[in-house]
Amino acid sequence: MSVRTPDPDPEPEDDGLGAFRDANPSAPRSNPGWLSDIELEEARRHLPMLYVEAIPVRTDGSGQVTEIGILLRSTPMGEMTRTIVSGRVRFGETIRDALFRHVENDLGPMAFPLLPPQPLPFTVAEYFPIPGVSAYHDDRQHAVSLAFVVPVTGTCEPRQDALEVTWFPPEAAASDAVAAEMEGGRGTLIRLALANLGLLR
C-alpha cells in the first residue's frame, strides 16, 4: 500500500515513503533543492533517497513513554491504512530541521516536538522497490530512512489525507493487529522503537 500526508502547499521533496503521488511542479520555484518530475524520477532510478521518519510519543512526568502516535489514512482505493511521520531530507538541510519540518507538516504546528540539539536515530531502515529484500518496501525507489522516536507535548492535528493520529499504549502498538494495518513494513519499525525504549515485552 502507498500513502502520504502531503504538505498544505505541496513541496516536491517532502513526500513520505510510499507516497500516493508525486506532487512535483515542473519548475523548481525559489528553492534550488526542488526537483522537477523528470529530475526526481531520474534520481530515483540511480540513487538511494534519504528520508527521516518519526514515531511520535507521549510521556508521563517521569519521562516514561505512555502512548505511541500512529497516523490513520484512507488510500485512493478507499482502504484504511496506518503509517508514521516521514519525508525526504532537503539538500542543505540538517537532520534536526528535516525532522521538525515533517513533524509539523504531518501533525500540525501545535504538536510541539521535543528534539535534542543532535538527534540520534534508533535505527536505519532501507526501503526497496522489490518486496522481500528487507522488512521495508517502497515500490517507487530504494530509500534509506533514519528513524527517530520524537516526544510531542502539544495538540496533534493531522493534515490532509491523514484522518487522525491514534494514540496506542505500547503493548497495543506492538500488536499483530496494528502491524497488519501498517504500510511498507512499518510495523517492524514500531516494534524496533519499542524495543529501543525497553517497552517490548
Side-chain angles (χ1 to χ4, degrees), residues 12-63:
E13 50 243 72
D14 294 348
D15 57 319
L17 283 162
F20 283 141
R21 60 194 177 275
D22 290 318
N24 296 302
S26 56
R29 296 192 196 173
S30 60
N31 188 329
W34 287 354
L35 299 174
S36 69
D37 291 344
I38 295 171
E39 290 169 330
L40 179 59
E41 190 62 33
E42 186 68 16
R44 282 180 164 152
R45 281 201 297 266
H46 298 284
L47 299 168
M49 307 301 286
L50 178 62
Y51 282 74
V52 291
E53 294 190 279
I55 298 175
V57 300
R58 292 199 170 159
T59 60
D60 61 19
S62 64

Side-chain angles (χ1 to χ4, degrees), residues 66-189:
T66 58
E67 294 179 308
I68 311 293
I70 301 176
L71 295 169
L72 176 68
R73 294 185 180 145
S74 175
T75 72
M77 303 301 294
E79 300 170 323
M80 303 302 285
T81 186
R82 295 191 184 276
T83 192
I84 58 175
V85 173
S86 72
R88 280 199 301 251
V89 180
R90 292 176 177 168
F91 180 81
E93 182 177 44
T94 67
I95 295 298
R96 187 181 190 280
D97 287 347
L99 265 176
F100 188 89
R101 178 169 56 86
H102 288 298
V103 170
E104 185 176 88
N105 285 344
D106 282 1
L107 300 181
M110 303 302 288
F112 300 136
L114 300 178
L115 295 175
Q118 296 291 328
L120 293 174
F122 67 85
T123 194
V124 176
E126 280 195 273
Y127 291 80
F128 289 92
I130 301 169
V133 176
S134 78
Y136 312 104
H137 174 250
D138 182 338
D139 58 10
R140 303 166 305 156
Q141 62 189 345
H142 174 198
V144 177
S145 175
L146 307 178
F148 301 83
V149 171
V150 178
V152 294
T153 60
T155 302
C156 296
E157 296 181 355
R159 299 190 178 188
Q160 300 205 22
D161 69 337
L163 303 177
E164 67 176 25
V165 58
T166 308
W167 294 97
F168 291 94
E171 59 274 15
S175 69
D176 290 340
V178 170
E181 296 178 350
M182 299 292 291
E183 47 125 11
R186 287 187 177 88
T188 300
L189 209 56

